[in-house]
Amino acid sequence: MKNPLETLISAAGILLMALLSCLLLPAPSLGLTLAQKLVDTFHLMDLDQFYTLLFCLWFLVLGAVEYFVLRYVWRRWFAVR
C-alpha cells in the first residue's frame, strides 16, 4: 500500500529543488552575436523575447531533470514498503 504522505512529500521536495535551482544554478548566457543570430533565425522581435523563451526552456529542462532524479532517489532509498 502506498503511504499517503509520499505524494505530498515528493511534490514538496520537487518544489523546493526547483526553488533552489532558480536561485543557485546559473542560467545560460549567450554572446551578443550568437543571441542576435538566433533572434534573426527564429524571427523574434528582440533580445528580451529571446531570453524570456530561453530562460523558460532552461528552467523547464532543469525541473524535468530534478523531477526524475528526486523520483529515483525517493523510490530507491526512502520509499516505505
Side-chain angles (χ1 to χ4, degrees):
M1 187 166 138
K2 195 172 186 180
N3 188 349
L5 291 178
E6 182 177 355
T7 305
L8 179 65
I9 291 173
S10 68
I14 291 167
L15 289 174
L16 180 63
M17 289 299 292
L19 175 68
L20 290 175
S21 72
C22 289
L23 296 175
L24 298 176
L25 294 176
S29 177
L30 306 176
L32 185 59
T33 56
L34 178 60
Q36 191 62 45
K37 185 175 181 182
L38 289 171
V39 166
D40 293 336
T41 302
F42 293 115
H43 305 291
L44 301 173
M45 299 296 282
D46 57 0
L47 284 174
D48 292 333
Q49 186 180 17
F50 171 71
Y51 275 111
T52 300
L53 291 172
L54 182 67
F55 292 157
C56 288
L57 289 174
W58 175 252
F59 289 119
L60 183 67
V61 168
L62 285 180
V65 168
E66 288 170 358
Y67 171 76
F68 287 113
V69 167
L70 284 175
R71 184 172 166 231
Y72 173 77
V73 167
W74 178 261
R75 289 186 177 199
R76 177 80 168 100
W77 290 293
F78 297 110
V80 177
R81 295 184 182 169

